[in-house]
Amino acid sequence: EVQLVESGGGLVQAGGSLRLSCAASGFISDDYVIGWFRQAPGKEREGVSEISSSDGLTYYADSVKGRFTISSDNAKNTVYLQMNNLKPEDTAVYYCAADEPPGPSLRGDYWGKGTLVTVSS
């Protein structure tokens, strides 16, 4: 069974940076996608970014383009989300999610427990 463990959340001032990590295990093939959702209090869950294991293709929500970068270290089975120029509206619980096999967009077959990111103004 696929397991996802997030780390790296915390409190940061607006304009600062954080890097989230998602350690993954249990995939049975080399064809999957890992990404990040976030959910702020009182708001709908939002897909933030994803990366394909097979070709490295990435997706970013418009709200984070140019500020967030997703990357993967296949040797460590870890996906990173580098978040720069953070804004108070980025405050949310960030969840790592994965699909195997991948589809047109990240469905969330598997989920981590989430990590809280708080951006103060």
Side-chain angles (χ1 to χ4, degrees), residues 2 8 15 17 24 33-34 53 62 65 101 103-104 113 120:
V2 174
S17 298
V33 60
I34 298 181
S53 68
D62 288 343
K65 279 181 183 176
K113 293 183 178 180
S120 63

Side-chain angles (χ1 to χ4, degrees), residues 5 7 11 22 26-27 47 60 62 64 67 69 89 103-104 110 116-118 120-121:
V5 180
S7 60
L11 173 64
C22 175
F27 291 113
Y60 296 95
D62 288 343
V64 306
R67 302 187 297 120
T69 303
E89 52 263 43
Y110 306 99
L116 177 63
V117 172
T118 304
S120 63
S121 57

Side-chain angles (χ1 to χ4, degrees), residues 55-74:
D55 54 17
L57 281 177
T58 58
Y59 159 83
Y60 296 95
D62 288 343
S63 57
V64 306
K65 279 181 183 176
R67 302 187 297 120
F68 290 12
T69 303
I70 192 168
S71 62
S72 63
D73 183 336
N74 291 335

